[in-house]
Amino acid sequence: MKNIIKNISVVLMLVLISASCSDFDEINQRPNAFSSDEVSAKYFLTSTQISLYAPNRYPYWRAQLIHADRFAGQFCFGHNGSWWSDGLGYSYSAGYTNASYGWLAGYNGGLTSYLNFVKEGGDLENERYFAIGLIMKGLYYQMYTDTHGMLPYTEASDPDIITPVYDNQADIYKGIIDELDMAMQIIGDHPNTGEGVDLLTKNDLFFSGDLQKWKKMANTLKLRLALRALGASDAGFAEAAINEAMQADVLMLSDENALMEKDTEINQWSNAAYGDVWWNFGGWGSKWTVGKTLIDYLRNNNDPRLFVYATPIEGGTVNLVKPADGAGADNFEVYVAFILSQLDDAGVNYTANATSDLVTITVADDKPYYVGQPTRLNGDIKSFVKHELFSLPADVVINKKNAGNPISPEIVMTAAEGNFLKAEAIVKGFGSGGDAQSFYQEGIRQSMMMWGISSGDIDTFLANEDMAQLNGSMEENFEKIAIQRWIADYTDGFEAWAVVRDTGYPKELAEGVSDQLFYSLGTLNGKYPQRMRYGSGAYNTNGSNTEAANAIQGPDEQKTTLWWAK
């Protein structure tokens, strides 16, 4: 990834060249300019990948961390050192929403430029690079529409249309699937993108130019989309798409994971990571904990991923002090009992010595303890939520750049998901042959392998834990698959959040919150967030079409349910 800056520089040079020349024959006539044999679409692909999966810190913080990762129930704010309660994001903020919407809406410009370069008649015409672009478009629009709902799609890239209409989600999903089919047909049996300067290798941050892996990812995405659409209105295409995808190859093996390695040298304004938020603000204000639902599923099922997803609590001695006044004073005993109940649920060995206005908790140092923070805690209880009592993300997730330490890669799409999707399809009655249990367990294995779990620990989990067995009713088996997909999506908040909305699992998250004493109900009145609002840019530049979409889809609120949601 050290070559990324060089690649981006080349991209900028090529853009300037393209803007000043009618075609590349003219370039050949200019001394010291690039010749057509020296220019390749590969120099554009790298930035197209980074812009979607590692944008600069501004949207990375506001889109991924403040919204998607926390709506997924996997990260929490709201501990005593945090700048915010854990209601942040659940209470609508125009600034944070605009940052997220602006990043996603703005991505289409660069993607369209890439597709125009490589399509038939483009300056860098190459149908195999065009196929890659169509797959990138599918990844993008699935994330984009699953975040906001109806969007400009069919007219979005037409330079002659300034105010494109919004397409409904059924049409967007069908359009993505059609373009994925086109991409897979173009790739066919081709192993790579061409020869010489057209040969794609390290500039492809997903698969190093292996077109057959791109093809498998396209089919895996097709299966994801079709299963998500299944049962929704106007989704008559879903069953055929599922059957087609089940007959083709999906990502299934560890060397087929689409993981974008983080560049540990490039700064936060070109290629952001969680560590750019964790370390660059100082103190504890911007730091976060791991959610209770995730920690509980891992710990209570003896899942070895617990030890690589999170850190043990710091523990030691912690004082819970009664405030002089306010809700914390009025509810002191209740808040203390709530905190102690979290320790009890996690099996923590501790002592609690109480007076009328002080409770001193001392955690035994007999073994490591993992305690997740409840999601959506309000500001009244925040001073009691001591970060020493709750698990933090593992170091590999939040490591600082330029410190010589590894940083976990961005998840694009994984072999774990390919296996889980096949298991889900079989449980729902699709696919002739194949065993849902085998695919399910292979999905768990692939997820664990991706995080470095030893084969012995994986085998022990698969052999002994009920969570590893599809041994119930269809709905019970579906629930296990959904929860394992959600667990495997750790650090991929957009997809983990989509899994909860689509399946209704984990129930602990999907059911929302209601007890105002502990939880922030926010502008959702406690309901689970179903979408993000459109940004102000949508109204400023395309207001009438945005309002028309709201009239069809429902009010522009976070609680408005999307087309496919459970």
Side-chain angles (χ1 to χ4, degrees):
M1 297 258 315
K2 292 182 179 179
N3 292 322
I4 291 175
I5 287 292
K6 295 180 181 178
N7 294 335
I8 293 174
S9 297
V10 172
V11 168
L12 293 174
M13 293 174 67
L14 290 173
V15 169
L16 293 174
I17 292 170
S18 300
S20 62
C21 303
S22 59
D23 56 44
F24 279 86
D25 289 335
E26 183 177 344
I27 295 174
N28 290 335
Q29 300 171 9
R30 295 172 55 205
N32 302 320
F34 286 101
S35 71
S36 59
D37 292 335
E38 295 172 320
V39 179
S40 171
K42 68 184 178 185
Y43 298 118
F44 289 84
L45 180 60
T46 307
S47 60
T48 303
Q49 293 172 320
I50 290 173
S51 297
L52 186 58
Y53 289 100
N56 73 61
R57 192 189 75 194
Y58 187 71
Y60 197 90
W61 180 17
R62 288 160 173 77
Q64 276 91 332
L65 184 55
I66 288 178
H67 289 106
D69 289 324
R70 294 180 49 259
F71 288 172
Q74 297 185 341
F75 290 151
C76 299
F77 293 133
H79 60 75
N80 67 304
S82 178
W83 292 336
W84 314 284
S85 79
D86 202 40
L88 182 70
Y90 298 94
S91 295
Y92 169 69
S93 164
Y96 292 137
T97 296
N98 285 346
S100 177
Y101 178 83
W103 156 61
L104 278 173
Y107 178 82
N108 186 59
L111 176 65
T112 299
S113 295
Y114 171 87
L115 286 168
N116 286 340
F117 270 119
V118 298
K119 71 181 181 181
E120 184 176 358
D123 287 331
L124 300 175
E125 180 180 335
N126 183 308
E127 67 172 1
R128 298 179 207 174
Y129 278 101
F130 182 66
I132 289 175
L134 291 176
I135 299 169
M136 287 298 302
K137 183 180 178 181
L139 290 168
Y140 160 59
Y141 266 101
Q142 184 248 306
M143 182 191 298
Y144 190 14
T145 189
D146 285 357
T147 300
H148 294 284
M150 291 180 63
L151 297 169
Y153 176 72
T154 55
E155 297 182 353
S157 300
D158 189 331
D160 296 324
I161 299 177
I162 299 175
T163 55
V165 298
Y166 283 61
D167 296 272
N168 63 55
Q169 284 197 284
D171 289 338
I172 295 173
Y173 263 49
K174 187 177 185 304
I176 295 171
I177 289 173
D178 288 344
E179 292 191 320
L180 291 173
D181 285 341
M182 182 190 304
M184 289 187 282
Q185 183 177 10
I186 291 170
I187 291 172
D189 295 328
H190 293 298
N192 55 50
T193 52
E195 299 178 352
V197 72
D198 282 331
L199 180 62
L200 177 64
T201 55
K202 293 182 180 179
N203 291 82
D204 173 11
L205 304 181
F206 299 169
F207 296 124
S208 294
D210 187 330
L211 284 188
Q212 291 307 303
K213 291 179 181 177
W214 275 97
K215 185 177 180 180
K216 289 180 182 180
M217 181 166 68
N219 193 51
T220 308
L221 178 58
K222 177 179 178 177
L223 185 55
R224 174 198 281 180
L225 289 160
L227 282 169
R228 187 160 293 162
L230 185 66
S233 60
D234 300 322
F237 60 86
E239 291 192 12
I242 293 170
N243 284 321
E244 291 166 1
M246 289 291 284
Q247 294 171 21
D249 291 333
V250 299
L251 301 174
M252 297 189 68
L253 304 175
S254 58
D255 66 348
E256 297 172 347
N257 288 318
L259 304 174
M260 196 176 82
E261 295 295 330
K262 303 300 293 186
D263 193 301
T264 60
E265 297 181 9
I266 290 180
N267 72 35
Q268 60 197 321
W269 303 116
S270 297
N271 187 328
Y274 287 120
D276 292 321
V277 178
W278 187 272
W279 296 103
N280 289 357
F281 288 82
W284 275 91
S286 61
K287 294 175 171 55
W288 57 93
T289 58
V290 182
K292 174 179 173 62
T293 306
L294 179 59
I295 293 291
D296 284 359
Y297 270 108
L298 296 173
R299 186 193 61 240
N300 296 343
N301 291 288
N302 299 309
D303 193 315
R305 285 170 291 188
L306 174 65
F307 314 112
V308 295
Y309 278 16
T311 61
I313 65 173
E314 180 181 330
T317 298
V318 174
N319 291 319
L320 304 183
V321 181
K322 184 177 183 178
D325 53 31
D330 296 340
N331 300 297
F332 178 64
E333 291 82 6
V334 177
Y335 285 163
V336 169
F338 180 86
I339 298 300
L340 295 181
S341 71
Q342 307 308 312
L343 303 181
D344 292 336
D345 288 348
V348 176
N349 181 11
Y350 69 93
T351 59
N353 297 311
T355 65
S356 60
D357 58 2
L358 173 69
V359 174
T360 298
I361 301 171
T362 302
V363 177
D365 60 0
D366 52 342
K367 65 177 183 178
Y369 293 103
Y370 291 81
V371 185
Q373 181 182 315
T375 298
R376 300 176 69 170
L377 293 180
N378 64 35
D380 293 332
I381 197 174
K382 187 161 80 79
S383 64
F384 296 87
V385 186
K386 304 296 185 181
H387 64 79
E388 297 94 335
L389 300 179
F390 295 95
S391 291
L392 306 178
D395 290 343
V396 72
V397 175
I398 47 89
N399 270 336
K400 183 188 294 187
K401 291 180 181 176
N402 299 305
N405 297 315
I407 300 175
S408 56
E410 292 288 336
I411 293 174
V412 178
M413 190 165 285
T414 66
E417 177 161 16
N419 282 282
F420 288 139
L421 291 172
K422 284 184 105 34
E424 178 182 335
I426 293 170
V427 164
K428 290 182 175 179
F430 294 90
S432 57
D435 175 49
Q437 169 76 0
S438 297
F439 287 119
Y440 175 64
Q441 289 207 338
E442 186 61 24
I444 295 172
R445 181 181 297 279
Q446 290 296 328
S447 174
M448 290 184 176
M449 288 173 62
M450 193 173 76
W451 287 87
I453 306 300
S454 70
S455 59
D457 287 343
I458 296 173
D459 290 342
T460 297
F461 179 86
L462 295 179
N464 296 307
E465 296 301 323
D466 182 73
M467 179 55 85
Q469 315 301 320
L470 296 183
N471 53 8
S473 66
M474 185 184 79
E475 186 62 28
E476 288 168 339
N477 291 340
F478 173 60
E479 178 179 4
K480 286 183 177 179
I481 295 168
I483 289 171
Q484 285 300 322
R485 280 187 65 196
W486 174 77
I487 292 172
D489 282 330
Y490 181 58
T491 70
D492 181 12
F494 280 101
E495 187 56 26
W497 175 33
V499 168
V500 180
R501 291 175 289 156
D502 175 33
T503 67
Y505 300 115
K507 287 182 180 178
E508 298 90 332
L509 297 171
E511 291 174 351
V513 296
S514 58
D515 193 335
Q516 299 183 64
L517 188 61
F518 305 114
Y519 300 103
S520 175
L521 304 189
T523 50
L524 299 162
N525 195 30
K527 293 183 180 295
Y528 188 72
Q530 296 293 325
R531 61 183 290 270
M532 287 183 64
R533 296 189 188 190
Y534 300 121
S536 61
Y539 293 93
N540 293 337
T541 62
N542 197 9
S544 61
N545 285 324
T546 303
E547 293 292 2
N550 293 335
I552 297 169
Q553 178 171 265
D556 190 10
E557 299 174 353
Q558 290 175 323
K559 64 183 179 182
T560 294
T561 303
L562 296 185
W563 161 73
W564 44 255
K566 185 176 178 65

